[in-house]
Amino acid sequence: MNMSLMELYESMGWFAKGIVFTLLGMSAFSFTVLIQKWWGMRKAQAETRKFAPEFSQFLEEDNLNEAIKLAEGYKKSHVARVLGGALSEIRPLIQDGSVTVADINSAERAVEREMLMTVVDLKRGLGILATVGATAPFVGLLGTTMGIVNSFTGMASSGAGGISAIAAGVAEALITTAIGIGVAIPAVWAYNFFQTKIDNLIAEMTYTSKEMIDYLIKGVSGEFGRSRFTREFNTAGQTSISQ
């Protein structure tokens, strides 16, 4: 006896159908997270590729004001969020001309805080993918187990023997396991993919933030002295005020 998948579904009991609907809901949920994460990381990397060269150029020119404005303009870039937050932290110190080594240490701590919050945002949704990938096969197996139990119960009550008496019921039951595995595979794949991508983004944020902190440290003339960009910032500010 040949049965199509639709015929198998129609022959399922309400419990098995409930398992199928649960698995389909889990699949829809995981694919929603997958698409959102992929799109968000794609936007973040695209903005970072535009942001990084311009930001480096402003640092080379000691133009911290424009560097801060640039970072504030790239809301999706993970690197811009981290560097912009650190520069915003020390901007008042730059303006009053009192940047010291301790202030740069404060900027470094600001970088760490921004990185922590950015990483939390990047990892949001990964728990859903991990949960779907880990539990979907077991949800399908639950449907399979109950389906086989129902098949043997029906065989016992009817008195019929042989594999033909339970073949349709076993096939119906195994469908739920197949669906569960089909739901779990893309969820696990997506989880591992995004985990690797996030590790790469963390490396980018760490590298660029350390590069900026090194730049600020090199600009300090002494342990409690002012940096070259501080003096130029004050000079430019006084010129604009006098005009």
Side-chain angles (χ1 to χ4, degrees):
M1 179 178 65
N2 295 325
M3 296 182 69
S4 65
L5 291 178
M6 184 58 64
E7 289 172 335
L8 281 174
Y9 174 77
E10 290 175 352
S11 66
M12 285 181 178
W14 287 109
F15 184 85
K17 287 182 178 180
I19 292 292
V20 170
F21 280 118
T22 300
L23 289 171
L24 291 178
M26 294 170 67
S27 178
F29 205 11
S30 65
F31 269 98
T32 300
V33 173
L34 188 156
I35 293 171
Q36 288 177 342
K37 296 297 294 180
W38 176 80
W39 182 253
M41 289 188 179
R42 184 174 179 271
K43 291 286 291 181
Q45 289 183 305
E47 286 199 2
T48 299
R49 283 193 293 268
K50 295 178 182 179
F51 165 78
E54 296 180 45
F55 185 82
S56 298
Q57 182 65 33
F58 285 135
L59 283 187
E60 290 176 5
E61 297 171 356
D62 292 335
N63 195 341
L64 264 294
N65 237 8
E66 289 300 322
I68 294 172
K69 290 180 182 178
L70 179 70
E72 291 173 349
Y74 287 91
K75 302 295 185 183
K76 301 293 184 181
S77 171
H78 51 288
V79 174
R81 286 180 58 184
V82 171
L83 299 185
L87 288 176
S88 298
E89 182 96 3
I90 63 171
R91 174 157 56 178
L93 304 174
I94 296 173
Q95 289 174 339
D96 64 18
S98 60
V99 176
T100 66
V101 172
D103 298 329
I104 294 176
N105 290 336
S106 296
E108 191 168 14
R109 289 191 294 272
V111 165
E112 293 173 356
R113 288 193 296 270
E114 289 294 330
M115 278 190 61
L116 180 63
M117 298 307 298
T118 303
V119 170
V120 169
D121 287 341
L122 290 173
K123 289 187 175 182
R124 186 171 289 116
L126 290 187
I128 293 173
L129 295 177
T131 301
V132 170
T135 60
F138 293 103
V139 174
L141 186 59
L142 174 62
T144 295
T145 302
M146 293 304 298
I148 292 176
V149 168
N150 291 335
S151 296
F152 279 102
T153 301
M155 183 178 68
S157 62
S158 64
I163 191 66
S164 60
I166 61 171
V170 171
E172 167 195 323
L174 291 176
I175 287 296
T176 58
T177 296
I179 295 175
I181 294 173
V183 170
I185 288 174
V188 172
W189 176 85
Y191 175 82
N192 291 329
F193 172 79
F194 288 127
Q195 192 65 53
T196 302
K197 293 289 289 183
I198 289 172
D199 289 340
N200 292 335
L201 297 182
I202 292 173
E204 288 180 7
M205 289 187 290
T206 302
Y207 179 86
T208 53
S209 61
K210 294 296 183 184
E211 189 175 30
M212 187 197 73
I213 294 298
D214 288 342
Y215 169 81
L216 296 178
I217 291 174
K218 290 176 183 178
V220 176
S221 57
E223 185 177 1
F224 298 100
R226 293 195 212 168
S227 62
R228 178 163 53 92
F229 70 77
T230 301
R231 294 193 297 271
E232 292 187 1
F233 182 93
N234 290 334
T235 302
Q238 291 171 2
T239 302
S240 61
I241 290 174
S242 61
Q243 290 176 350

